Amino acid sequence: MEELIKRYEYEIIANDFDIAGSTSSSIKRNLKSIGVDPSIVRKVAIVSYEAEINIIIHSKGGKMCLEIYKDKLTIRAHDNGPGISNIDLAMSEGFSTATNEAREFGFGAGMGLPNMKKYSDNFNITSSSEGTNIDIDIYMD
Amino acid sequence: MERAFYLDKNKCEGCTNCMRKCPTEAIRIVNEKAVINNDKCIHCGECIRVCPYNAYNSVTDKIDDINKNKFSIAIPSTAVYGQFHIGTEICNIHKALLSMGFDYVYDESWGADLVSQAVRNRVKEIKDNRPVINSNCPAVLRLIKVKYPSLMENIIQLQSPMEISAILARKKAKEIFGKNDEDVEVFYISPCPAKSIRVYSPIVLGPSKIDKVISLKEIYGDLIREMKMHHEICYSNPSIKGLKWSLSGGQCEAAELEHSIAVSGIENVLNILEEIEMGKLNHIDFVELMSCNESCVGGPFNFENPFVAKNNINYIIKNTDNSNILIDDIDRFEEFDKLGYFEQKINLGFKNAQALNIKAGIERLEKVNQMVKILPKIDCGSCGSPTCRALAEDIVDGINTIESCVILKLKK
Ligand SMILES: Nc1ncnc2c1ncn2[C@@H]1O[C@H](COP(=O)(O)OP(=O)(O)OP(=O)(O)O)[C@@H](O)[C@H]1O
Ligand code: SF4
Ligand code: SF4
Ligand SMILES: [Mg+2]
C-alpha cells in the first residue's frame, strides 16, 4: 500500500440542486492551490463533477473522498442506495434514467459514467441496493 | 514592456477599489498605494475602469513615434469605428489618420472577415478538446494561462484579425507601393492595454506583426479635430462580417457555427471557464470569450460607452451593402490559407506558479485554511489583501502579517 499523504471528505446531499457542483469545485480549487499539474486537475474536475451529480440526482445521498498519494489521486464516491441494477447498461453511452426535473437542469445525457471511465486510469464500480461505490485512480506522472 | 499601463502614485489614494475588482487578485495595497504583480496581471483593465481617481494611465506609443523614414500603416481596431457620433463615415476616420501622418490605413474588418472563414473551417476539423476557445482577446488568453492552464489546449491556433490585418497590410505595401517589409512600420489603434501587451510581450502567442500600439484615448482628440477640419463626402467599404467582430456574439455569427456561445465581461468569462473545466460544455463547438462588456466596443481605452458604441457600429452595418464589395483580399481566402497565413501556434508550456512538490503544497494549504479560520471573513480589504483568504495566503507566503488585520486589532 502506498503512503496516503492527505484525505479530504465531503458530504453530498440528495436532490440539492442549489449547490450541485460545489464539492467538485472545491476539490478542483484545492488541487490547483496545492500545485497539481493542470491536466491532472482537469481530469479530476470532470470525474468528480460527474460522480457528485450522480449522487445528487440518482441516489439517497452519500459522500465523496479525495485521497492524495505520492504519485496518484484517488476519488471515491460512495452513496446509500438504491443502487444500479444493471451496471453494464448504466455504463453504456446514452443510457439514462434521469427524471424530468434533472433533465431541466441539463443532466441526463447518459454520458456521466462513460466519461468518468474515460478520464480515469483505474475505474472500479460496485453496486447493491445498499449503495453504489465508485473508486477512481488518476496517476500524476 | 511588462505592463501596458502604469499607476500614478501621486494620484493613488490606496482606496482598495482596484484590488477588490481584479479578477486574478494581482493587486495589493502596500504603504497605501496599489502594487501590481506582473505575473498575475492579465491586462483586462478592470482596475483602470474602476479607479475613482483616474490614477491608471496607458503606456502607449504616440503619433510622434511615426518614423518619417518608413512607410507607416495604421490599423484602427474595428471598435474605433463606434467611437464617433452616429453616422460617421469610416472613410473619414481613415482620412483623418492619413492627415495625421500615416501613409496607409488598413481596415481591420477585412482581416476579421477572412479569419471568420478560417475559424469556421478549423472548428469543424478539430475533433477533441471541445469547446474550442477564440484567440483574439489577449486578456482572456492570459487569464487562461494563469488560472485555467488546462484549457490552453482548447484555444484555437489561429491568428487574430489584428495580426492578419498586419500581414495583409504589409503585403499591400509591397504590392501597391513597392515597400519592403523592413521599410514598413505597422501601428495598431487599440481599445485596450491587452492588445499592447500581446504585441510587446507575447507569452501565449508567437511574435506579433504589429510594431507599435497607440491607445485610442491617446489620439482621440487629434482624430476629432482632423475629422472636423477635413470633413468631406467619401466612400466607405468595410466588411459587415468583420465589423461584427467588435460586438459580443459577432465572431460566432460571422463564423456561422451552430453550437456556439458568446460570453463577454470578465466575470462572466470566469464563470464559463469554471464550467468548461468541469467538462460541462463539451457539447458546445465554439465559445467566444471577450474580457470587456459587450466585447471590444467595451475596451477600457475607448471613448464612448459600450452600448452607444454598439449602436453606432450597428448603424454602420445597417447602412453598408456588401453585395459589390471592392476588396480583393476577401476573395483570396484559399490562397492565404494555403500560404499558412492564419496559423498561430499557442505556447502551451504551462509552468506551475510555484512549482511546489505536493507535500509542501498540502502543508501550505493547511496553514492557509487554519489562518482563514482566525480571520474575520468580511473581506474588507483594509489589510491590503483583496479577501481574508488572500490575506491568509499572503501571511503564509510571508508577504503580509496578521497585524495588518484591522478588525482583529479592534477586537483586542
Ligand atoms: N449513484 C447512482 N445511484 C443510482 N443510479 C445511478 C447512479 N449513478 C448512475 N446511475 C444510473 O446510471 C445511469 C447512467 O448514469 P450516467 O451518469 O452515465 O448518466 P446520467 O446521470 O443519466 O446523465 P448525465 O450524467 O449525462 O447527466 C443513470 O441514469 C442512473 O440510472
Ligand atoms: S489589468 Fe486586470 S488583472 Fe491586471 S491588475 Fe488590473 S484588474 Fe488586475
Ligand atoms: S475584449 Fe477586446 S478590448 Fe477588451 S481586452 Fe479583450 S481584446 Fe481588448
Ligand atoms: Mg450522470
Side-chain angles (χ1 to χ4, degrees):
Chain A
M1 245 324 245
E2 240 189 300
E3 178 208 359
L4 175 69
I5 303 176
K6 182 76 196 172
R7 183 160 194 274
Y8 296 95
E9 202 177 295
Y10 309 84
E11 196 75 31
I12 315 281
I13 299 160
N15 275 315
D16 192 345
F17 288 99
D18 287 346
I19 54 164
S22 62
T23 296
S24 29
S25 279
S26 53
I27 289 179
K28 182 172 76 162
R29 201 168 37 237
N30 283 349
L31 290 178
K32 275 190 191 178
S33 108
I34 287 169
V36 173
D37 185 89
S39 58
I40 304 294
V41 177
R42 188 174 183 189
K43 285 190 201 169
V44 176
I46 294 172
V47 164
S48 58
Y49 175 72
E50 295 295 351
E52 179 185 0
I53 300 296
N54 277 359
I55 296 182
I56 292 172
I57 68 178
H58 303 300
S59 89
K60 300 175 188 163
K63 60 178 199 245
M64 284 226 298
C65 297
L66 167 69
E67 294 172 0
I68 303 174
Y69 297 87
K70 193 164 159 289
D71 52 13
K72 73 167 184 187
L73 301 168
T74 300
I75 296 103
R76 303 188 195 279
H78 295 184
D79 66 50
N80 311 321
I84 301 173
S85 48
N86 186 338
I87 291 182
D88 287 340
L89 189 58
M91 288 300 299
S92 59
E93 291 191 7
F95 176 80
S96 174
T97 61
T99 60
N100 283 339
E101 190 198 7
R103 282 173 204 270
E104 272 172 29
F105 281 96
F107 307 119
M111 290 304 292
L113 288 170
N115 270 336
M116 280 154 80
K117 185 163 181 184
K118 179 174 154 197
Y119 288 100
S120 52
D121 293 315
N122 295 316
F123 177 88
N124 193 10
I125 178 167
T126 58
S127 190
S128 73
S129 56
E130 308 285 290
T132 300
N133 294 335
I134 297 176
D135 300 288
I136 288 167
D137 291 329
I138 291 172
Y139 294 116
M140 288 194 280
D141 38 42
Chain B
M1 185 197 280
E2 285 215 58
R3 202 149 16 84
F5 61 98
Y6 69 97
L7 177 80
D8 183 343
K9 294 230 157 160
N10 295 322
K11 288 190 185 168
C12 178
E13 300 278 356
C15 69
T16 76
N17 274 300
C18 59
M19 177 180 77
R20 281 184 284 139
K21 197 81 205 257
C22 175
T24 60
E25 300 194 330
I27 305 179
R28 296 292 183 273
I29 310 291
V30 182
N31 297 327
E32 291 170 26
K33 304 287 171 196
V35 177
I36 297 177
N37 176 348
N38 286 338
D39 292 336
K40 282 193 183 169
C41 174
I42 60 166
H43 279 76
C44 62
E46 291 298 312
C47 51
I48 303 174
R49 267 189 268 262
V50 78
C51 178
Y53 307 101
N54 291 316
Y56 287 102
N57 297 310
S58 61
V59 175
T60 170
D61 292 304
K62 305 205 163 24
I63 282 290
D64 298 341
D65 292 324
I66 294 178
N67 183 338
K68 296 279 182 312
N69 301 319
K70 291 204 172 183
F71 185 79
S72 57
I73 301 175
I75 303 175
S77 158
T78 43
V80 169
Y81 301 149
Q83 305 304 314
F84 307 92
H85 70 80
I86 195 150
T88 300
E89 285 279 355
I90 288 177
C91 52
N92 271 315
I93 302 170
H94 290 184
K95 277 202 185 141
L97 286 166
L98 292 173
S99 53
M100 284 163 74
F102 290 104
D103 298 305
Y104 183 67
V105 180
Y106 192 90
D107 186 337
E108 194 192 28
S109 71
W110 307 332
D113 188 311
L114 286 161
V115 179
S116 311
Q117 184 65 39
V119 170
R120 181 176 169 77
N121 295 352
R122 184 60 62 86
V123 171
K124 291 199 161 158
E125 283 160 29
I126 300 172
K127 287 282 166 286
D128 32 50
N129 287 328
R130 297 261 134 162
V132 177
I133 301 174
N134 61 310
S135 69
N136 65 315
C137 176
V140 167
L141 298 188
R142 284 194 168 218
L143 177 66
I144 293 173
K145 189 169 179 90
V146 302
K147 273 190 97 162
Y148 305 95
S150 72
L151 299 179
M152 296 284 285
E153 289 169 345
N154 293 48
I155 299 168
I156 196 163
Q157 310 233 4
L158 285 182
Q159 300 281 14
S160 63
M162 168 175 94
E163 291 296 330
I164 284 294
S165 299
I167 292 170
L168 298 181
R170 286 172 179 281
K171 201 173 160 69
K172 280 266 182 292
K174 176 93 187 151
E175 287 171 1
I176 306 175
F177 304 95
K179 301 289 176 188
N180 288 324
D181 220 25
E182 56 277 14
D183 301 322
V184 173
E185 207 169 42
V186 183
F187 287 69
Y188 189 71
I189 317 291
S190 171
C192 63
K195 293 284 191 190
S196 306
I197 207 71
R198 184 268 171 272
V199 168
Y200 286 109
S201 49
I203 55 165
V204 181
L205 306 172
S208 173
K209 287 282 190 285
I210 305 275
D211 299 296
K212 290 178 178 164
V213 185
I214 303 185
S215 95
L216 175 69
K217 273 228 166 102
E218 168 67 25
I219 56 164
Y220 190 71
D222 292 339
L223 263 177
I224 294 274
R225 221 166 298 127
E226 288 295 340
M227 283 165 67
K228 284 220 171 94
M229 264 178 355
H230 303 289
H231 187 84
E232 49 192 294
I233 307 283
C234 58
Y235 180 65
S236 306
N237 202 15
S239 151
I240 292 177
K241 245 191 212 176
L243 287 173
K244 287 184 179 163
W245 275 65
S246 62
L247 310 175
S248 180
Q251 294 176 53
C252 293
E253 227 183 284
E256 296 170 32
L257 291 162
E258 202 179 345
H259 299 294
S260 61
I261 52 176
V263 179
S264 71
I266 193 71
E267 265 170 41
N268 298 327
V269 169
L270 285 167
N271 289 338
I272 209 88
L273 285 170
E274 287 287 337
E275 298 206 353
I276 295 174
E277 219 179 22
M278 306 278 236
K280 286 203 219 175
L281 296 181
N282 289 354
H283 59 294
I284 303 284
D285 291 334
F286 179 72
V287 289
E288 171 197 316
L289 308 183
M290 301 302 282
S291 176
C292 300
N293 280 329
E294 301 290 326
S295 189
C296 294
V297 286
F301 293 159
N302 285 335
F303 180 80
E304 265 306 351
N305 87 56
F307 307 99
V308 172
K310 179 178 165 185
N311 186 47
N312 291 344
I313 301 255
N314 276 327
Y315 183 87
I316 301 174
I317 290 174
K318 240 179 273 152
N319 289 285
T320 299
D321 177 9
N322 272 172
S323 57
N324 49 2
I325 193 164
L326 297 175
I327 310 309
D328 55 344
D329 283 353
I330 298 295
D331 300 324
R332 294 167 75 185
F333 174 79
E334 311 284 336
E335 177 195 340
F336 297 155
D337 196 24
K338 281 215 184 77
L339 290 168
Y341 281 12
F342 299 103
E343 294 304 310
Q344 171 66 75
K345 276 263 166 294
I346 304 287
N347 176 12
L348 285 175
F350 32 70
K351 227 177 37 247
N352 281 333
Q354 293 126 323
L356 294 164
N357 72 51
I358 302 290
K359 259 190 183 158
I362 292 172
E363 257 169 52
R364 176 178 176 273
L365 181 62
E366 294 300 301
K367 283 188 198 156
V368 170
N369 287 340
Q370 286 304 319
M371 188 57 70
V372 170
K373 284 193 187 133
I374 302 170
L375 297 173
K377 287 176 275 297
I378 55 173
D379 298 339
C380 68
S382 307
C383 57
S385 302
T387 59
C388 294
R389 188 171 185 91
L391 174 62
E393 289 170 357
D394 291 350
I395 293 170
V396 172
D397 295 340
I399 58 172
N400 205 336
T401 61
I402 196 158
E403 281 72 43
S404 303
C405 180
V406 186
I407 305 293
L408 283 186
K409 238 185 235 164
L410 281 176
K411 279 192 182 153
K412 273 190 203 154

